[in-house]
Amino acid sequence: MSGMEYRYGKTNKEALKKIKHELKVIYELDFCAYFLITWDIIRYSSSQGYYHVGRGSGANSIVAYCLKITDVDPIELNLYFERFLNAQRTSPPDFDIDYSWDEREDVQDYIFKRYGSQHTALLGTMSTFKDRSIIREIGKVMGLPKSEIDGFTDQTRAAINRNNDTFKKITAIYERMANMPNQRSIHAGGVLISEDPITYYTALDLPPKGMATVQWDMYEAEKIGFDKYDILSQRGIGHIKMAVKLVEENQQRKIDIHQVKSFMKDPVVNAQLKNGNTIGCFYIESPAMRQLIRKLDCDNYLILVAASSIIRPGVASSGMMGAYIKYHHAPDTVNYLHPVMEEQLKETYGVMVYQEDVIKICIHFAGMDGTDADILRRGMSGKYRSKKEFDRLVERFFEEAKKLGRPDDVVAEVWRQVSSFAGYSFSKAHSASFAVESYQSLFLKTYYPREFMVAVLNNYGGFYNRALYVHELQKSGAHIHLPCVNNSDSIVNITGVDVYLGFVGVHGLNDTFIMLIPEERRENGIYQSLEDLIKRTGLGLEQTIILIRVGALRFTGKNKKELLWGVHLLMGNKVKPDNEIELFCLEAKNYSLPVLINTKLENAYHELEILGFSLSMSMFDLLETEYRGEVCASDLINHVGQLVRMVGLYVCKKTVHTKTNKKMWFGTFLDVEGNFFDTVHFPNSTPAYPFRGAGCYLMAGKVVQEFGFASLEVLKFAKLPIYGNPVIS
């Protein structure tokens, strides 16, 4: 009971009652070993200083909470244990345990060693033929050249391809191959542990990962009754872990990142959340999520938990997301379908937001028990054990509701809402787990933005490309420097407000030199010259040229063209393998050159090519035109209903299909002031494929707003040319 005392103290009667109830179910279903093994995995990872997030429906369990498997309080959020485990469940539920991407493999290694290689294996999976892969495979069989196959998968050629006889043949075969098995692979994180040797059940593969893998997927494992442990990884935990470390190193401040409840009450953090200033923060940084947060004026944990679920396709497509936002701003206008809906769903304005809401309504509105209610919920997501059993439960929903005197029309509407989203929504516990991690990220971004964004870059970003996170780092007040052989490490480093980009982001630079250059500098001192760098590291001509062009040798005081002349004179025109250069014969040569001018524009193009973005000049600086639009993002709300022109730097897009199967797009851009604005591109006013890659676009459209969030409905749309290269993409 030490876990209960840690979480609730010694005298919490409600907690004790729930614990006893859960332990009884766990014991009767013989899942004690499952919980204990999961606890053992958490115990090991915690002893190594690893931070984890236990999420999914497992967070509905107070036993899991007391064992520190999860960090979501099921009493505080009124979570249903039956959503996780019920008396009629024949296979064990699975905990989803997230670790940082660079710690997961060690946890997996511990599991294999602790429970033995004969009893442990990774879970397999089966990939199927889908979409472009079908076209490509059929094209190869037909002996088509790559260029022709590429043309058949090009969205911009869809109209042309429809009349192509070869493409028609491919399409005919396509329909037969869709969803057929393609090849076996490895499950994202599933680990199986069996009591008998696992080879009693299947042959094993030994893929390059070096851990034995079964030859069937999770559905077969569930039928057999295997215990599955999802040991997953995500970048968000890596962001948090590294940011805490960087703050301690750079500002000499220690942060207890587990004090989440204090973060949730911090008005500065909540103001940051409400403004949608969440780039880099786990799960809440995407354009759709930032829009939703702003539409909801989201400024607290409970609203964020709801937002994490209503963004899911089932809730959004059923119209319940719009209803939730509407009633959130005007709760007095809620028209509850039935008093039970008000009683059970008042927190969410009568809208079913979480998977648990399905269980609540099945129990309290339709009179079903918790076990049948969860089986019904699982069935609606296609996870029923028997279609016949599922149909019986659907009938029972209507029959029991009728016995309770529920009006037929109300029952029909309640069932429509239940069935429309149950398979495509989160459990409340899952949303709560995501919200906890989001608050941890948001706290770091609010108070330590420079260290946080460096951590995001060093953990390979998130939803957006690297350039956007560099932009956020610049907004935080950091002085960002190009890679430098005398200051940069393999990854991005920070000292005070000075940030040096790492060699990892330099396209074309060999992995050996990414590590060797900073290691050699730390061991034997800074590099004194171009010749000194080459002698000490063994750099070849090609690798040295990359470093020169990205500006990494600016410490020499020479411009790039002088350095390029120098390295060719030093190493000769014949390019040798890096490990065969005879460095002992290298020596500085005296030569005189004419004045060589290196322009800022040239530097910008070098950076675009080698880094993927430019620090020397922004994409707006590179535009041939000086026009920057009539309106900026910060003033967009003041032009609702007006036709305006805007210039924006492309960030990302999302393609969706209308009810008539036509394509439309949602775009995200940055204005010249560095602020986000969002666009909508309807089919009737948009070319077949409007986006032409990275760069700045001129847009004309109408400003619209929804719940106080302004966006641009685009009527005209064109990419703007830049100096020296009008079609860069």
Side-chain angles (χ1 to χ4, degrees):
M1 299 302 287
S2 60
M4 174 189 157
E5 185 177 342
Y6 171 77
R7 294 296 196 184
Y8 296 105
K10 294 181 179 180
T11 59
N12 191 312
K13 293 181 180 180
E14 183 181 5
L16 182 61
K17 181 180 178 182
K18 285 181 70 70
I19 290 170
K20 287 181 177 179
H21 166 69
E22 289 191 16
L23 287 174
K24 182 175 182 292
V25 175
I26 293 166
Y27 176 77
E28 289 175 349
L29 294 178
D30 197 22
F31 293 148
C32 297
Y34 183 79
F35 275 77
L36 290 172
I37 291 173
T38 306
W39 168 81
D40 177 59
I41 295 168
I42 300 303
R43 179 200 57 77
Y44 167 77
S45 61
S46 298
S47 73
Q48 301 300 303
Y50 301 160
Y51 173 48
H52 77 277
V53 171
R55 58 177 175 84
S57 61
N60 288 58
S61 168
I62 195 170
V63 172
Y65 182 56
C66 291
L67 290 175
K68 299 183 182 178
I69 296 171
T70 66
D71 282 317
V72 175
D73 184 349
I75 292 179
E76 179 186 22
L77 293 178
N78 189 27
L79 302 179
Y80 276 52
F81 177 62
E82 287 79 8
R83 167 60 184 88
F84 176 59
L85 200 58
N86 58 70
Q88 291 187 17
R89 185 155 187 161
T90 58
S91 60
D94 56 316
F95 285 109
D96 294 334
I97 311 295
D98 286 339
Y99 291 96
S100 177
W101 61 273
D102 56 349
E103 294 170 349
R104 177 176 74 156
E105 197 162 317
D106 181 62
V107 176
Q108 290 176 325
D109 186 59
Y110 168 78
I111 296 171
F112 272 74
K113 289 176 179 176
R114 175 72 173 83
Y115 298 99
S117 58
Q118 290 188 335
H119 300 271
T120 313
L122 298 180
L123 183 61
T125 188
M126 184 68 72
S127 66
T128 57
F129 284 105
K130 290 183 179 179
D131 305 327
R132 297 183 188 182
S133 68
I134 303 177
I135 297 173
R136 291 194 176 280
E137 292 304 315
I138 298 173
K140 290 175 187 176
V141 171
M142 295 175 71
L144 301 178
K146 183 178 182 299
S147 58
E148 189 171 356
I149 296 174
D150 290 342
F152 288 148
T153 60
D154 185 348
Q155 295 177 333
T156 64
R157 295 176 54 84
I160 299 172
N161 289 336
R162 276 196 294 269
N163 298 319
N164 184 293
D165 290 338
T166 303
F167 186 74
K168 289 179 181 178
K169 291 179 182 178
I170 292 175
T171 304
I173 305 171
Y174 179 107
E175 294 174 356
R176 295 188 177 187
M177 285 186 64
N179 296 316
M180 286 182 64
N182 184 358
Q183 60 185 8
R184 284 187 290 107
S185 184
I186 306 174
H187 186 273
V191 179
L192 301 179
I193 300 175
S194 66
E195 188 171 349
D196 295 320
I198 210 157
T199 49
Y200 285 14
Y201 302 92
T202 176
L204 300 175
D205 292 330
L206 192 65
K209 190 176 179 70
M211 295 179 178
T213 304
V214 300
Q215 295 188 349
W216 24 253
D217 60 21
M218 58 184 288
Y219 300 106
E220 296 304 318
E222 183 173 326
K223 289 178 183 177
I224 296 170
F226 269 104
D227 291 355
K228 178 169 74 77
Y229 304 83
D230 277 336
I231 309 300
L232 303 161
S233 67
Q234 50 151 290
R235 294 171 183 172
I237 295 176
H239 300 166
I240 294 168
K241 180 190 70 171
M242 180 173 282
V244 170
K245 180 181 177 183
L246 288 174
V247 170
E248 185 172 352
E249 293 173 351
N250 195 44
Q251 299 198 35
Q252 291 73 55
R253 295 184 182 180
K254 287 191 175 183
I255 299 170
D256 184 356
I257 202 63
H258 299 289
Q259 296 297 315
V260 183
K261 290 192 176 181
S262 66
F263 305 162
M264 295 173 181
K265 297 174 183 176
D266 189 317
V268 182
V269 174
N270 282 321
Q272 186 102 320
L273 175 64
K274 184 177 179 178
N275 292 331
N277 191 2
T278 57
I279 300 299
C281 297
F282 171 76
Y283 195 72
I284 57 173
E285 66 166 341
S286 70
M289 196 64 186
R290 288 188 299 103
Q291 286 184 33
L292 178 58
I293 286 168
R294 292 183 60 185
K295 289 176 182 178
L296 287 170
D297 287 332
C298 178
D299 62 356
N300 65 70
Y301 171 63
L302 289 178
I303 298 175
L304 184 58
V305 172
S308 298
S309 190
I310 64 174
I311 196 73
R312 297 287 291 165
V315 188
S317 63
S318 68
M320 287 185 277
M321 182 171 78
Y324 181 91
I325 300 171
K326 173 186 172 183
Y327 293 140
H328 176 70
H329 290 288
D332 294 339
T333 65
V334 179
N335 182 21
Y336 292 98
L337 278 170
H338 190 273
V340 171
M341 303 293 279
E342 181 175 9
E343 175 187 307
Q344 296 299 321
L345 303 178
K346 190 165 187 177
E347 178 189 324
T348 55
Y349 318 111
V351 176
M352 280 177 280
V353 170
Y354 311 109
Q355 290 178 352
E356 287 88 347
D357 292 339
V358 173
I359 299 175
K360 285 182 182 180
I361 296 308
C362 289
I363 293 172
H364 298 285
F365 178 81
M368 301 175 74
D369 62 40
T371 298
D372 281 350
D374 187 57
I375 293 172
L376 187 63
R377 178 203 61 78
R378 284 170 57 83
M380 282 182 285
S381 62
K383 296 180 180 178
Y384 42 78
R385 290 170 294 175
S386 163
K387 182 68 166 62
K388 185 177 180 180
E389 180 186 12
F390 172 71
D391 291 340
R392 180 186 63 78
L393 289 173
V394 174
E395 289 178 13
R396 186 173 175 189
F397 178 93
F398 284 90
E399 289 171 358
E400 295 299 320
K402 189 172 184 179
K403 286 179 185 177
L404 292 172
R406 315 302 191 204
D408 290 346
D409 57 336
V410 175
V411 174
E413 175 57 21
V414 170
W415 175 252
R416 184 196 70 79
Q417 292 185 17
V418 166
S419 60
S420 66
F421 90 105
Y424 300 94
S425 58
F426 280 162
S427 70
K428 189 174 184 179
H430 193 79
S431 296
S433 299
F434 276 178
V436 166
E437 188 177 340
S438 297
Y439 259 98
Q440 291 171 319
S441 295
L442 195 57
F443 170 80
L444 291 166
K445 180 178 174 67
T446 302
Y447 288 104
Y448 308 99
R450 291 183 286 275
E451 290 83 1
F452 178 72
M453 293 313 305
V454 168
V456 171
L457 284 165
N458 285 340
N459 284 274
Y460 307 102
F463 186 88
Y464 303 97
N465 62 31
R466 194 169 181 81
L468 187 72
Y469 297 115
V470 172
H471 167 74
E472 282 291 305
L473 186 54
Q474 287 176 315
K475 284 174 64 177
S476 73
H479 299 156
I480 304 179
H481 304 274
L482 290 166
C484 171
V485 296
N486 274 339
N487 291 282
S488 291
D489 297 318
S490 59
I491 59 177
V492 182
N493 64 42
I494 179 170
T495 304
V497 298
D498 287 301
V499 174
Y500 279 87
L501 297 178
F503 295 119
V504 166
V506 177
H507 300 326
L509 189 61
N510 189 283
D511 289 346
T512 300
F513 297 115
I514 287 173
M515 305 303 297
L516 178 60
I517 292 170
E519 286 176 0
E520 167 63 25
R521 183 187 71 232
R522 284 190 289 269
E523 197 168 312
N524 296 307
I526 64 172
Y527 301 105
Q528 301 298 322
S529 63
L530 170 64
E531 295 84 357
D532 184 42
L533 173 69
I534 294 171
K535 287 179 181 179
R536 288 166 58 183
T537 62
L539 279 164
L541 180 61
E542 181 181 338
Q543 296 285 288
T544 307
I545 289 172
I546 291 172
L547 290 171
I548 290 171
R549 293 178 72 225
V550 82
L553 277 77
R554 57 191 181 278
F555 76 94
T556 62
K558 299 177 181 180
N559 70 36
K560 293 181 183 179
K561 290 180 180 175
E562 292 171 328
L563 288 167
L564 289 170
W565 271 101
V567 73
H568 279 91
L569 288 170
L570 190 65
M571 304 182 76
N573 292 323
K574 185 177 179 181
V575 181
K576 299 179 181 180
D578 295 328
N579 60 353
E580 294 182 12
I581 294 178
E582 300 175 6
L583 294 177
F584 58 84
C585 67
L586 291 176
E587 57 181 40
K589 298 181 175 66
N590 293 319
Y591 50 84
S592 68
L593 291 169
V595 178
L596 300 173
I597 299 173
N598 198 80
T599 68
K600 196 173 181 180
L601 182 61
E602 288 176 306
N603 289 339
Y605 271 103
H606 289 160
E607 292 158 25
L608 281 171
E609 178 186 344
I610 299 173
L611 296 177
F613 56 88
S614 169
L615 281 181
S616 300
M617 298 175 70
S618 74
M619 292 303 294
F620 288 98
D621 295 330
L622 289 170
L623 290 177
E624 290 182 356
T625 177
E626 295 183 0
Y627 184 72
R628 298 294 181 265
E630 301 168 342
V631 177
C632 284
S634 59
D635 194 41
L636 201 59
I637 193 67
N638 297 318
H639 294 269
V640 173
Q642 299 178 19
L643 295 175
V644 301
R645 292 194 299 172
M646 300 184 73
V647 173
L649 173 62
Y650 171 79
V651 175
C652 63
K653 71 176 186 304
K654 179 179 180 181
T655 307
V656 298
H657 287 81
T658 65
K659 292 180 179 179
T660 57
N661 205 33
K662 291 183 178 180
K663 289 181 180 177
M664 62 178 291
W665 292 266
F666 296 96
T668 300
F669 295 84
L670 289 173
D671 68 11
V672 69
E673 295 176 348
N675 296 318
F676 287 97
F677 67 94
D678 294 275
T679 59
V680 183
H681 307 253
F682 289 110
N684 58 348
S685 59
T686 309
Y689 195 76
F691 294 90
R692 301 293 174 183
C696 292
Y697 291 77
L698 173 62
M699 289 159 277
K702 181 181 178 182
V703 181
V704 296
Q705 70 89 23
E706 185 179 24
F707 301 108
F709 179 82
S711 58
L712 187 70
E713 282 187 3
V714 175
L715 302 174
K716 293 184 179 180
F717 187 66
K719 190 172 182 181
L720 294 172
I722 61 176
Y723 287 116
N725 191 347
V727 292
I728 188 169
S729 62

